[in-house]
Amino acid sequence: MRYRSQEVAYWYFAVAMLLFGLQLVFGLLAATKYLGPDPLLYILPFDVAKVIHTNLLIVWVLTGFMGATYWMVPDESRTELYSVKLAYAQLGLWVLMGVTAVIGYFFRYGTGNKLLEQPLPHKIAIVVVMLMFLYNIGMTIRKSGRFTTTEGVLLGGLGLAAVLYVPALLEFENYSISIFYRWWTIHLWVEGVWEMIQGGFLAYLLIRLSGADREVMEKWLYVIVGLVFIAGIIGTAHHYYWVGVPSYWLPIGGIFSALEPLALLGMAVYAYTAMRRAGLSHPNTLALHWTLGSAVFTLFGAGVLGLAHTWPSVNKWTHGTLITAMHGHAAFYGAYAMIVMAMITYALPSITPGRREGGTALGYWAFWLQVGGMFGMTMAFAAAGIGQVYLERILGLGYLDAQLKIQVHFLMLLATATVFSTGVGMFVWDFFRFRPKFELAADADDARAANAIAAGSA
Amino acid sequence: MNKKQTRFFAFAASGVAALAFIGMTLHSHTRFGELTNAQNITPAVVHGKDVWHKYNCINCHTLFGEGAYYAPDLTKITQHRGAAYLQAYMRDPSKFYDENRHRRLMPKQDLSEQEITDLILFLDWVSKVDNQNWPPRPILVVGASIPGSDFSAQQQTANAIQGGAQPPGARPVNPDLNPIALGQALFRKVAPACVACHSVADGVNMAGPSLAGIGARAKERIAAAEYTGQAKDAAAYIRESIEKPSAYVVPGAMYSANGQSFMPTTYAKDLKPEQIEQLVAYLSSLE
Ligand code: HEM
Ligand code: HEM
Ligand SMILES: [Fe+2]
């Protein structure tokens, strides 16, 4: 820790970790209901378990983003945060919003609109929190007068994420039109501005961990951002095929969304070459695992598995099946869960001094069990999804009878999810088992980075 | 390439893409009305949409293929089920499905009668939106046999050449075929599709009774004391079942309420007389 105010990041991370654990409880519950019969049918039916699962996901990932930003901006701008108080007030309001939203879902208090179930008061609270956050970060940078490209990309992503939440506040009488704009939030988040956020963290981590040259890294970061948006904006149309829009969206959505993996491939190559060139000079090799892991798993889950069903003539058959769940899990995990864990793993040794900087053995177990478990879950969803598409969509068996025939894959899902959850449990335990000590340290990383460049170019 | 140039690329690429996207969005707005039959979005349909949201149906079901994957897609449900059926089903799903058989059950949603009525109107509006004919083949709620695969051995051989839009085992239909063959194709194709509720496999009762052996059973039906309809022979019984389902209702809690059959009453008006005859010919052949 180089700046005292970076300690706020720790509390954001702590909240994120708790909510992550809770998210999995509801995921496991939902998955168990596939096997049925459901003894909780009138206490916690599938729909409630699923809403809580996905909403906790969004809340903890955003909490992680905010914490990681509060960690990174002082480093980049070389200054204390504008207001620590504001950061804590923001966290308080955010947690209050999250907790009351989840309690409300138990009573079906929500909008019943996929992934945007937050009731209006909560949506307003979310907007307020985002404004507090952006104000605090903006003022910090203004105060310091130092604004790096890496930071700019991160902030651009965060700011645009707030802007794109606005369509979620609109209501339309025409259900097709409301679907149209729902994707302006959901798709343009995960396949647009959140990728900017991921790119910003990735560049920060690579510069710190590999000591790669900042000018070069930031130059390529712009290229990645350009690629994300060329394909990603119009690629929104891969959600428009079957909802009541003019037919030209089909080829357009097909072509542009098929280009989306290019940016993800770019990101993976970016991370890999930075490491190759500059060498593994940084002692925190565990953070390095998470950083590279995120880039690679994104390419797999979002790039490859997204591409697999994005073309209209394929999507026609797979649309709205467990194939979508397969892709949703692998993509979300690789791109956003892993990048948050990369930032946490990078920051943690300097907040909790008791721990080995290279990562604890438990930390490595957590990494590999999670990656292996999530890969297995993806395969289980894939097998179930292919079975569903073939039996229900192609052969024409009834939905319920087709689901009965793919039960074995739900067992596989639960088995692999247990491995995954063990990994998450270890990560969370490893997070909390060392007590934080908020002490200032010398700027070791910058010196190390300079050495690494010297070594790398030699 | 230097940083300035790549920054220009990032901004220019994003700007151009955003402009093109907004342009197409504006154009789409000029077409939504016609594609979605916006003139039919009555206050009742809007209320039905609110009911859909209020009860969180989207987190079990998909609609337009979007939602959760725990329960069947409902985009075209009103083309498979009549309003009377859906009204009764929404009151209490457990009267229609057995949780131990399919390992899932829709919990009772406690909707008011008005909510159910409007919900059905909303779902009916959804089913008529021009959505590029998705799903490409009907998605059924139940059915353990492959539709169209229940042919005789002779018909199976004739099926060697398959039509693109039909399930494996189905065969292309041309108007010179025997009325029985045409009726068999109609059984799958009319809206609401007969296959969504009836199987022709023995003992497979879905939303409607199995029609295996209906040609023979029809004779028993009209001879029985409880028979309330007008038919004098098997063909007339089947015709009556299609045109006036409630003339006589097959006993069964999930088949009717207050003497009203849950089978849609729209066929007499929507099907051409020769189509009804073809269906009758096909079903009469199931002895
Ligand atoms: C990090 C990036 C990504 C994340 C987190 C992500 C996540 C998701 C999620 C959660 C859904 C389900 C959304 C819903 O139904 O509400 C979805 C759907 C979809 N995604 Fe992605 N995705 C990513 C990238 C991509 C890419 C790069 C492609 C294409 C190359 C893609 C193609 C698709 C398609 C075609 C669907 C619709 C599936 C259907 O028809 O049911 N995704 N994605
Ligand atoms: C213990 C591990 C987990 C289990 C058992 C699990 C299970 C489930 C289940 C059963 C669903 C509902 C799918 C449906 O609608 O039928 C779901 C949805 C979802 N989960 Fe998980 N999950 C787990 C972990 C995660 C993680 C770690 C993430 C992200 C990082 C995640 C992201 C999602 C998303 C985005 C959806 C919505 C997908 C869609 O609607 O297409 N889940 N999960
Ligand atoms: Fe998308």
Side-chain angles (χ1 to χ4, degrees):
Chain A
M1 223 165 72
R2 262 148 278 162
Y3 302 93
R4 186 157 302 284
S5 52
Q6 281 177 305
E7 71 176 56
V8 298
Y10 179 82
W11 302 108
Y12 276 82
F13 292 154
V15 169
M17 287 299 98
L18 289 177
L19 298 180
F20 187 15
L22 207 56
Q23 182 215 345
L24 299 190
V25 173
F26 288 92
L28 288 166
L29 272 169
T32 314
K33 290 168 197 288
Y34 284 151
L35 292 168
D38 183 4
L40 303 179
L41 198 59
Y42 286 99
I43 301 163
L44 183 79
F46 182 89
D47 61 305
V48 176
K50 188 194 165 184
V51 182
I52 298 180
H53 176 62
T54 50
N55 275 262
L56 281 174
L57 166 68
I58 297 176
V59 173
W60 87 253
V61 165
L62 285 174
T63 315
F65 283 174
M66 294 189 290
T69 306
Y70 277 137
W71 177 267
M72 174 178 140
V73 165
D75 266 0
E76 286 285 299
S77 283
R78 300 191 184 148
T79 180
E80 295 289 349
L81 287 177
Y82 170 72
S83 166
V84 172
K85 266 208 201 102
L86 188 60
Y88 284 127
Q90 179 207 334
L91 181 61
L93 181 57
W94 181 247
V95 169
L96 188 72
M97 184 286 300
V99 169
T100 52
V102 168
I103 293 174
Y105 293 145
F106 275 102
F107 303 98
R108 288 246 179 102
Y109 177 59
T111 64
N113 194 8
K114 186 177 180 188
L115 297 174
L116 299 176
E117 290 92 354
Q118 311 81 28
L120 190 61
H122 294 75
K123 286 206 168 94
I124 293 170
I126 291 171
V127 172
V128 171
V129 166
M130 284 176 170
L131 291 178
M132 285 164 83
F133 173 63
L134 292 171
Y135 176 76
N136 205 357
I137 294 296
M139 290 306 283
T140 304
I141 291 171
R142 223 182 103 175
K143 193 183 69 178
S144 82
R146 183 181 144 89
F147 188 42
T148 67
T149 297
T150 305
E151 219 171 28
V153 168
L154 172 67
L155 234 70
L158 292 165
L160 286 169
V163 172
L164 286 168
Y165 192 64
V166 173
L169 298 163
L170 304 178
E171 274 195 44
F172 299 90
E173 297 205 330
N174 188 326
Y175 194 76
S176 290
I177 298 180
S178 61
I179 290 181
F180 192 91
Y181 287 106
R182 183 176 83 88
W183 291 113
W184 282 36
T185 304
I186 303 300
H187 169 94
L188 290 177
W189 265 5
V190 300
E191 286 158 70
V193 297
W194 284 25
E195 280 179 22
M196 275 177 91
I197 300 174
Q198 187 196 11
F201 290 143
L202 201 62
Y204 167 82
L205 286 165
L206 290 172
I207 292 169
R208 303 272 154 170
L209 289 170
S210 75
D213 179 49
R214 183 180 279 273
E215 272 304 294
V216 175
M217 294 308 283
E218 294 186 336
K219 174 174 94 181
W220 288 105
L221 185 57
Y222 275 132
V223 175
I224 290 172
V225 171
L227 289 176
V228 165
F229 286 118
I230 284 186
I233 295 179
I234 301 177
T236 312
H238 65 184
H239 303 289
Y240 289 172
Y241 303 151
W242 324 115
V243 303
V245 297
S247 56
Y248 58 76
W249 284 109
L250 271 74
I252 287 183
I255 291 166
F256 281 86
S257 64
L259 292 173
E260 282 182 39
L262 221 59
L264 305 175
L265 182 65
M267 246 190 266
V269 172
Y270 180 69
Y272 181 73
T273 46
M275 290 299 161
R276 275 295 297 260
R277 280 248 195 89
L280 311 175
S281 58
H282 197 280
N284 195 340
T285 44
L286 185 57
L288 200 71
H289 275 68
W290 284 107
T291 307
L292 280 179
S294 173
V296 172
F297 216 101
T298 306
L299 180 60
F300 164 69
V304 177
L305 297 183
L307 188 64
H309 62 147
T310 203
W311 193 253
S313 54
V314 176
N315 192 262
K316 179 160 119 184
W317 300 104
T318 59
H319 180 48
T321 62
L322 291 161
I323 294 287
T324 310
M326 158 201 82
H327 155 70
H329 279 87
F332 236 109
Y333 177 70
Y336 305 123
M338 286 183 85
I339 198 71
V340 168
M341 285 186 274
M343 286 298 285
I344 293 179
T345 308
Y346 173 73
L348 220 47
S350 50
I351 310 179
T352 55
R355 116 187 17 243
R356 273 188 54 216
E357 186 163 18
T360 58
L362 193 62
Y364 282 96
W365 274 101
F367 176 82
W368 288 110
L369 286 182
Q370 281 191 38
V371 169
M374 183 48 83
F375 184 76
M377 285 172 61
T378 308
M379 291 300 117
F381 269 127
I386 292 168
Q388 181 187 4
V389 169
Y390 187 66
L391 294 170
E392 175 198 319
R393 302 289 167 93
I394 296 182
L395 292 183
L397 253 61
Y399 171 90
L400 288 170
D401 293 282
Q403 293 287 315
L404 271 183
K405 294 198 191 316
I406 55 177
Q407 293 260 315
V408 60
H409 304 301
F410 297 141
L411 287 171
M412 291 305 292
L413 175 66
L414 278 176
T416 49
T418 308
V419 174
F420 177 77
S421 305
T422 312
V424 173
M426 288 177 171
F427 191 93
V428 175
W429 169 236
D430 196 41
F431 180 92
F432 284 108
R433 75 188 164 126
F434 295 98
R435 300 188 68 234
K437 269 214 197 79
F438 303 110
E439 284 169 348
L440 295 190
D443 203 348
D445 271 0
D446 287 348
R448 225 180 260 127
N451 288 340
I453 292 166
S457 54
Chain B
M1 231 176 1
N2 60 30
K3 196 162 143 188
K4 226 165 145 186
Q5 287 165 324
T6 60
R7 178 167 58 209
F8 176 76
F9 166 72
F11 278 99
S14 312
V16 170
L19 276 179
F21 186 61
I22 290 172
M24 285 185 285
T25 297
L26 290 176
H27 176 265
S28 296
H29 270 280
T30 66
R31 300 281 319 282
F32 279 136
E34 162 203 346
L35 290 164
T36 63
N37 308 306
Q39 73 282 1
N40 297 340
I41 306 181
T42 58
V45 169
V46 175
H47 179 238
K49 179 191 72 110
D50 295 340
V51 173
W52 171 261
H53 287 305
K54 178 175 162 196
Y55 292 90
N56 206 19
C57 315
I58 196 94
N59 277 303
C60 281
H61 289 279
T62 50
L63 193 60
F64 288 117
E66 291 184 8
Y69 320 118
Y70 179 76
D73 184 79
L74 297 178
T75 313
K76 303 284 175 191
I77 191 72
T78 60
Q79 298 187 11
H80 301 308
R81 311 288 196 212
Y85 175 95
L86 290 173
Q87 194 94 24
Y89 174 79
M90 290 306 298
R91 281 183 207 128
D92 189 356
S94 68
K95 293 251 163 60
F96 289 75
Y97 294 95
D98 175 2
E99 190 175 12
N100 289 312
R101 173 143 178 256
H102 285 112
R103 315 198 125 255
R104 286 188 203 178
L105 180 66
M106 169 157 144
K108 209 174 146 184
Q109 302 290 317
D110 295 321
L111 273 63
S112 73
E113 289 297 305
Q114 188 62 50
E115 285 181 320
I116 299 180
T117 309
D118 292 347
L119 178 73
I120 296 170
L121 289 173
F122 166 67
L123 291 174
D124 196 45
W125 170 79
V126 165
S127 79
K128 296 193 174 111
V129 167
D130 175 358
N131 71 338
Q132 324 291 341
N133 293 320
W134 187 88
R137 279 181 202 149
I139 298 174
L140 308 181
V141 179
V142 275
S145 66
I146 301 167
S149 65
D150 30 28
F151 292 93
S152 66
Q154 187 201 356
Q155 287 167 325
Q156 294 279 7
T157 349
N159 289 343
I161 317 151
Q162 293 185 2
Q166 288 171 341
R171 59 175 167 170
V173 180
N174 68 60
D176 313 328
L177 285 175
N178 183 296
I180 297 182
L182 292 171
Q184 186 177 35
L186 283 174
F187 194 70
R188 218 173 33 241
K189 259 190 1 211
V190 296
C194 318
V195 281
C197 298
H198 294 291
S199 164
V200 293
D202 206 13
V204 180
N205 297 316
M206 305 199 292
S210 163
L211 296 181
I214 183 68
R217 196 164 58 253
K219 295 186 192 108
E220 297 161 23
R221 292 258 194 256
I222 47 182
E226 312 85 61
Y227 178 62
T228 48
Q230 316 274 304
K232 299 281 180 266
D233 59 29
Y237 173 80
I238 295 172
R239 192 177 305 113
E240 183 185 69
S241 296
I242 300 172
E243 293 178 337
K244 287 189 229 123
S246 299
Y248 166 73
V249 289
V250 178
M254 58 179 258
Y255 293 157
S256 64
N258 311 324
Q260 274 310 108
S261 168
F262 292 151
M263 178 158 150
T265 52
T266 46
Y267 297 118
K269 141 172 90 62
D270 293 349
L271 299 184
K272 296 194 204 97
E274 66 266 27
Q275 289 180 308
I276 295 190
E277 286 321 310
Q278 288 156 359
L279 282 167
V280 171
Y282 164 58
L283 292 177
S284 304
S285 74
L286 304 174
E287 294 268 349

